[in-house]
Amino acid sequence: MRYADVAKAERIRIYDVARVAGVSVATASKALNDTGRMTEATRTRVKQTAAALGFRPNAMARALTKHRSFTVGLLTNDTYGRFTLPVMAGVSEALVDQGVSVFLCGIEDDAALGKVHVDAMLDKQVDGIIATGKRIDRRLPVDLSGLPMPVVYAFTEGPEDAITLVSDDAQGAREAVEWLVQAGRKNIVHVTGPETFVSVGERARAFRAVVGEAGRVLHGPWSEAWGHEAVGRLWSEAGDKPDAVFCGNDQIARGVVDALRERGIVVPDQVSVVGFDNWEIVSAATRPPLTSVDMNLKELGREAGRLILELAEGKPVEPGVRQLPCKLVVRQSCGGVRRSSDQQGGVLEEV
Amino acid sequence: MRYADVAKAERIRIYDVARVAGVSVATASKALNDTGRMTEATRTRVKQTAAALGFRPNAMARALTKHRSFTVGLLTNDTYGRFTLPVMAGVSEALVDQGVSVFLCGIEDDAALGKVHVDAMLDKQVDGIIATGKRIDRRLPVDLSGLPMPVVYAFTEGPEDAITLVSDDAQGAREAVEWLVQAGRKNIVHVTGPETFVSVGERARAFRAVVGEAGRVLHGPWSEAWGHEAVGRLWSEAGDKPDAVFCGNDQIARGVVDALRERGIVVPDQVSVVGFDNWEIVSAATRPPLTSVDMNLKELGREAGRLILELAEGKPVEPGVRQLPCKLVVRQSCGGVRRSSDQQGGVLEEV
């Protein structure tokens, strides 16, 4: 290809093709990539338009590395921001030194709104898209396959062949339960969220892998009220009472701690409690403050930022699901002793 | 000016001037607008560079209306997102139908980071910038005056001649206290945050304007623990106990409600409690759920979005501080009766 041709190809953007063909940028992109669903007539019209305008699909990949827009789009359906904010903070941290800015687009669970935002990202030729959400077992209501820029999925489900980052729920749960066992707890109960969440199943399996298959798991809503109710149920039964409760999130754990205090049961002296999420507004305000599993969402965001940069620079990244480790943040609700950073025995510190 | 000149002027961007002159885009912009602080040598160098390149400052304003980028930058130092997320949601809602996307840039309290993000926004020629924060009496650590695009300040302090949107704290506090008076409460105490916050002063003045100048105001940190401590202090004093506590935020209110329950005092039968912020994770989880003043931050964001669009389209907007009304969200902690939407008496509904 001669220089003049390249210059021309790079002047004609996918946006121009879409406009002239009367389709969205996403549709134009899919038509030229032979992906997505559309009538053959539409695909043909887009291809003919591209040819007539002198648009060269191959120029796109080159344009991405040569003419980077230094913007990355972050799509989320987590309007409350509980999970997206730390991810966003990590993404920003990874990108700011590279002069890359982040578009945050809240699409709720609205496919039409998702399409609007994806089209806008295509128009603006973002260097890449990071999709994030509030559940690792749910997809965003938009199809990001076949786009002319790289996509990384972080804390949301991606397609089979995608690059997906999730927290290692099983490892996080295992560390929490092992802590309780090391603290001498013999009768640990798991009070958690609805069975329909994949993360609930993973945490429950990890719990039983440590305490044995007879380990008791109680499911309910993700609320403080459920924590109260679970304590009411467990402590009204005959027989031995639990000496530790591992909770599926911090709100449930706060309900458990409050309910125990109201029964005159001292946490952690009589019963240890551990939460999940390490949402400080809840975990730090609980009396006593909650030990909780932190999913390291900021680090997950940083990693997503690093990967999208590598992809935008044309470097190869292996597809697949990457599980990032959680860490146990120890406060006063769990009892037991913290091993020093030297995990091979050594100094013990009482908490 | 002939057409060719315009075309040439529009091809040379402020970014090119800045690069050639060896200054940031913000500095170049200020130099050409005769604003900002810099040495005369720098200002002269920028102007000479602009002249040499054929850059015409007047072309900028035209470019803004003719060649809109359909992006708006949202700058915030509220990394936790407590206040920024609802503002952002409102801004997005106002802009999405116009095909305008939002860059969210978290600058913490870091002036250097702020400059990086503002420069990026200038590079990308955003149609406007919305500055937002976590306090209405603090400025962001960046100077946004003299930029070649409109700026709106929302829930953060702006310069004298700026367009600034804040919540009407006094009106919100007044409505809350008037509710308590109408509910028959005679001994209302205000437990609130540090005196250094302007909003704390406004709310306290509004409180005293309703209950009288002798109305008691207790200052402390913005925490649940402070709510507990305040109840401990008030209920250990001799004499009549309060029959209502109006709190400066929901965390304090939750601490007050919990401390009262632990003393066997029934909310709202014996003591009414009202919070501020209507942060649902706190207000809805309190037992009983908190009545709270909602600052309508999403509507504030919507209004900021509407204003920035008008400005980007070249419409005039009167500068000054606009106070947007708060609303009282009535749940179970306050007692009293809700007047129907017809504020002139009429149907009463018990809560």
Side-chain angles (χ1 to χ4, degrees):
Chain A
M1 203 194 295
R2 286 169 308 136
Y3 176 75
D5 288 342
V6 175
K8 186 181 175 196
E10 287 180 358
R11 268 207 307 279
I12 300 296
R13 297 171 304 155
I14 181 83
Y15 176 81
D16 303 310
V17 175
R19 192 165 38 81
V20 175
V23 297
S24 74
V25 172
T27 299
S29 158
K30 286 177 195 166
L32 297 174
N33 283 291
D34 283 321
T35 59
R37 270 190 273 181
M38 65 192 74
T39 65
E40 249 342 282
T42 301
R43 197 182 297 278
T44 305
R45 187 170 80 250
V46 172
K47 288 187 173 181
Q48 285 174 343
T49 306
L53 291 175
F55 176 80
R56 291 166 197 278
N58 289 342
M60 277 199 304
R62 198 170 46 244
L64 276 173
T65 51
K66 283 199 186 162
H67 293 141
R68 286 183 42 202
S69 65
F70 290 94
T71 54
V72 162
L74 187 69
L75 275 179
T76 179
N77 67 343
D78 173 28
T79 39
Y80 196 80
R82 163 76 192 89
F83 302 106
T84 291
L85 271 175
V87 170
M88 165 107 189
V91 169
S92 289
E93 247 182 58
L95 300 184
V96 70
D97 289 339
Q98 313 296 320
V100 176
S101 304
V102 183
F103 272 111
L104 177 61
C105 296
I107 62 173
E108 299 169 31
D109 288 307
D110 183 336
L113 191 57
K115 195 175 164 335
V116 166
H117 281 301
V118 172
D119 281 351
M121 289 178 177
L122 283 161
D123 277 5
K124 295 178 205 314
Q125 300 192 291
V126 296
D127 297 335
I129 294 178
I130 297 172
T132 187
K134 49 194 173 188
R135 285 179 68 166
I136 58 172
D137 55 355
R138 285 285 182 278
R139 296 191 180 195
L140 297 188
V142 281
D143 178 10
L144 302 174
S145 59
L147 296 185
M149 62 270 291
V151 178
V152 169
Y153 297 81
F155 207 73
T156 191
E157 196 185 48
E160 292 276 307
D161 56 346
I163 298 164
T164 304
L165 302 173
V166 296
S167 52
D168 190 343
D169 283 78
Q171 166 265 337
R174 198 167 52 240
E175 285 200 15
V177 183
E178 281 172 351
W179 177 284
L180 294 170
V181 169
Q182 283 174 11
R185 300 308 183 179
K186 307 287 183 204
N187 186 3
I188 310 172
V189 174
H190 185 33
V191 177
T192 187
E195 284 183 89
T196 49
F197 283 69
V198 164
S199 59
V200 166
E202 285 187 9
R203 295 170 194 175
R205 272 189 297 280
F207 163 73
R208 287 196 168 123
V210 178
V211 304
E213 285 310 307
R216 195 159 166 201
V217 179
L218 278 71
H219 295 282
W222 292 115
S223 67
E224 288 192 34
W226 165 230
H228 279 276
E229 189 189 325
V231 167
R233 205 184 290 178
L234 289 163
W235 265 261
S236 66
E237 292 174 358
D240 287 348
K241 305 295 179 247
D243 57 8
V245 186
F246 169 48
C247 301
N249 77 357
D250 289 341
Q251 288 153 278
I252 294 172
R254 176 156 193 179
V256 165
V257 169
D258 284 355
L260 289 172
R261 189 178 49 248
E262 285 161 25
R263 288 172 179 262
I265 298 165
V266 181
V267 174
D269 299 2
Q270 294 170 271
V271 177
S272 297
V273 179
V274 175
F276 210 107
D277 285 350
N278 193 30
W279 194 7
E280 289 212 351
I281 180 67
V282 180
S283 55
T286 303
R287 294 171 300 146
L290 285 176
T291 291
S292 184
V293 179
D294 190 309
M295 291 189 287
N296 275 329
L297 293 175
K298 196 170 178 183
E299 178 54 31
L300 198 140
R302 266 191 224 108
E303 184 62 18
R306 279 192 290 263
L307 289 174
I308 208 83
L309 278 181
E310 294 197 357
L311 289 162
E313 286 161 6
K315 294 179 190 158
V317 174
E318 197 70 30
V321 176
R322 289 163 168 72
Q323 289 193 318
L324 274 64
C326 302
K327 70 165 183 276
L328 187 69
V329 175
V330 177
R331 297 196 184 84
Q332 287 100 64
S333 68
C334 61
V337 288
R338 183 203 303 272
R339 282 185 297 181
S340 76
S341 55
D342 170 17
Q343 288 285 317
Q344 309 305 312
V347 187
L348 293 176
E349 180 195 343
E350 213 152 332
V351 294
Chain B
M1 203 193 293
R2 285 170 307 135
Y3 175 75
D5 288 342
V6 174
K8 187 182 174 198
E10 287 181 358
R11 268 207 308 277
I12 301 296
R13 297 171 306 154
I14 183 84
Y15 175 81
D16 302 306
V17 176
R19 191 166 39 82
V20 175
V23 297
S24 74
V25 173
T27 300
S29 158
K30 286 178 196 167
L32 297 175
N33 282 291
D34 283 320
T35 59
R37 273 190 273 181
M38 65 192 73
T39 65
E40 244 347 274
T42 302
R43 198 182 296 279
T44 305
R45 186 170 80 249
V46 172
K47 287 186 174 180
Q48 285 172 344
T49 306
L53 292 174
F55 177 80
R56 292 166 196 278
N58 289 343
M60 278 200 302
R62 197 172 47 244
L64 275 174
T65 50
K66 282 198 188 162
H67 294 140
R68 284 183 43 202
S69 66
F70 290 94
T71 55
V72 163
L74 188 69
L75 275 180
T76 180
N77 66 344
D78 174 28
T79 38
Y80 197 80
R82 163 75 192 89
F83 302 107
T84 291
L85 272 176
V87 171
M88 165 106 190
V91 169
S92 289
E93 246 184 56
L95 300 184
V96 68
D97 289 340
Q98 314 295 320
V100 176
S101 304
V102 183
F103 271 110
L104 177 61
C105 296
I107 62 173
E108 299 168 31
D109 288 308
D110 183 337
L113 192 57
K115 194 173 162 335
V116 166
H117 281 301
V118 171
D119 282 352
M121 288 178 179
L122 283 160
D123 278 3
K124 294 176 205 315
Q125 302 193 289
V126 296
D127 296 335
I129 294 178
I130 298 172
T132 187
K134 49 194 174 189
R135 284 179 68 165
I136 59 171
D137 56 354
R138 285 288 182 276
R139 295 191 182 195
L140 297 189
V142 281
D143 179 11
L144 302 174
S145 58
L147 296 185
M149 62 271 291
V151 178
V152 169
Y153 297 82
F155 206 74
T156 191
E157 196 186 47
E160 292 275 309
D161 56 346
I163 297 163
T164 304
L165 302 174
V166 296
S167 51
D168 190 343
D169 282 79
Q171 165 265 337
R174 198 166 53 240
E175 284 200 15
V177 183
E178 281 172 351
W179 177 284
L180 294 169
V181 170
Q182 282 174 13
R185 299 309 181 179
K186 307 288 183 204
N187 187 3
I188 310 171
V189 174
H190 185 32
V191 178
T192 187
E195 283 183 89
T196 49
F197 283 68
V198 164
S199 60
V200 165
E202 284 187 10
R203 295 170 194 175
R205 273 190 295 282
F207 164 71
R208 286 197 167 121
V210 177
V211 304
E213 285 311 306
R216 192 156 168 206
V217 180
L218 278 71
H219 296 282
W222 292 115
S223 67
E224 288 190 34
W226 164 230
H228 279 275
E229 188 190 325
V231 166
R233 205 184 291 179
L234 288 163
W235 265 262
S236 65
E237 292 174 358
D240 285 349
K241 305 294 179 247
D243 57 8
V245 186
F246 169 48
C247 300
N249 76 358
D250 288 342
Q251 288 153 278
I252 295 172
R254 176 157 191 178
V256 166
V257 169
D258 284 354
L260 290 172
R261 189 178 50 249
E262 285 161 23
R263 287 171 179 263
I265 298 165
V266 181
V267 174
D269 298 4
Q270 293 169 272
V271 177
S272 297
V273 179
V274 175
F276 210 106
D277 286 349
N278 193 31
W279 194 7
E280 290 213 350
I281 180 66
V282 180
S283 55
T286 304
R287 295 170 298 145
L290 286 177
T291 290
S292 184
V293 179
D294 190 309
M295 292 189 286
N296 275 330
L297 293 175
K298 195 169 179 184
E299 178 53 31
L300 199 140
R302 264 190 225 109
E303 185 63 18
R306 279 192 290 263
L307 290 174
I308 207 82
L309 278 181
E310 293 196 359
L311 290 161
E313 286 162 6
K315 295 179 191 158
V317 174
E318 198 69 32
V321 177
R322 289 162 167 72
Q323 289 194 320
L324 274 64
C326 302
K327 69 164 185 278
L328 188 69
V329 175
V330 177
R331 296 195 185 85
Q332 286 101 65
S333 68
C334 62
V337 287
R338 182 204 303 272
R339 283 186 297 181
S340 75
S341 55
D342 169 18
Q343 287 286 316
Q344 309 303 310
V347 186
L348 294 176
E349 179 194 343
E350 213 152 331
V351 292

